[in-house]
Amino acid sequence: MLRHPVRLTEPEALDSTLAQRWGAVFVHEGPVRTCVGCRSRALARELLRLVVDNDSLVVDLRRRLPGRGAWLHPDPECLRLAERRRAFPRALRVPGPVDAVEVRNHLEQHA
């Protein structure tokens, strides 16, 4: 067993079971977040940050707005999945439903 973690730049370079046994540390290219729609993990720069403002979702383009944020792929299908699962109120910890019209408009404009 190695005493120091092994740094790997490519996860494919080593089988994950061996990596766990050897204490390997995978190096990421930035923070990783989970999309509330499809529930897959992606780099934060690939996702949109959404916050609640007066019971409606707002796209936080600069990622500086205060409050808890939810992350979503810039894909209408992910938005549809998140709305169907009612994921936004849970992820943002707000009571009741939230209005996603502004997010939908943003996705249509940048499609």
Side-chain angles (χ1 to χ4, degrees):
M1 180 102 186
L2 296 174
R3 291 182 181 249
H4 302 287
V6 177
R7 286 215 172 272
L8 299 174
T9 56
E10 298 177 11
E12 299 83 23
L14 190 63
D15 183 25
S16 63
T17 56
L18 292 175
Q20 289 174 355
R21 184 173 31 183
W22 289 350
V25 177
F26 294 109
V27 178
H28 295 284
E29 295 178 11
V32 176
R33 302 289 182 254
T34 302
C35 173
V36 295
C38 64
R39 303 291 301 155
S40 65
R41 294 171 51 135
L43 292 173
R45 66 176 173 244
E46 299 171 0
L47 302 172
L48 293 174
R49 183 175 186 262
L50 308 173
V51 295
V52 173
D53 185 30
N54 296 329
D55 294 331
S56 65
L57 284 174
V58 178
V59 179
D60 184 9
L61 294 175
R62 295 182 61 214
R63 299 175 183 182
R64 298 289 185 263
L65 292 176
R68 189 169 181 85
W71 298 84
L72 183 77
H73 280 112
D75 181 11
E77 182 63 22
C78 283
L79 177 62
R80 188 186 66 76
L81 285 170
E83 288 178 324
R84 191 181 81 198
R85 287 191 198 132
R86 299 182 196 115
F88 291 121
R90 267 184 313 204
L92 298 168
R93 296 182 184 170
V94 295
V98 292
D99 185 23
V101 173
E102 188 176 328
V103 177
R104 190 172 290 106
N105 291 340
H106 177 81
L107 292 178
E108 290 172 359
Q109 288 175 359
H110 292 88

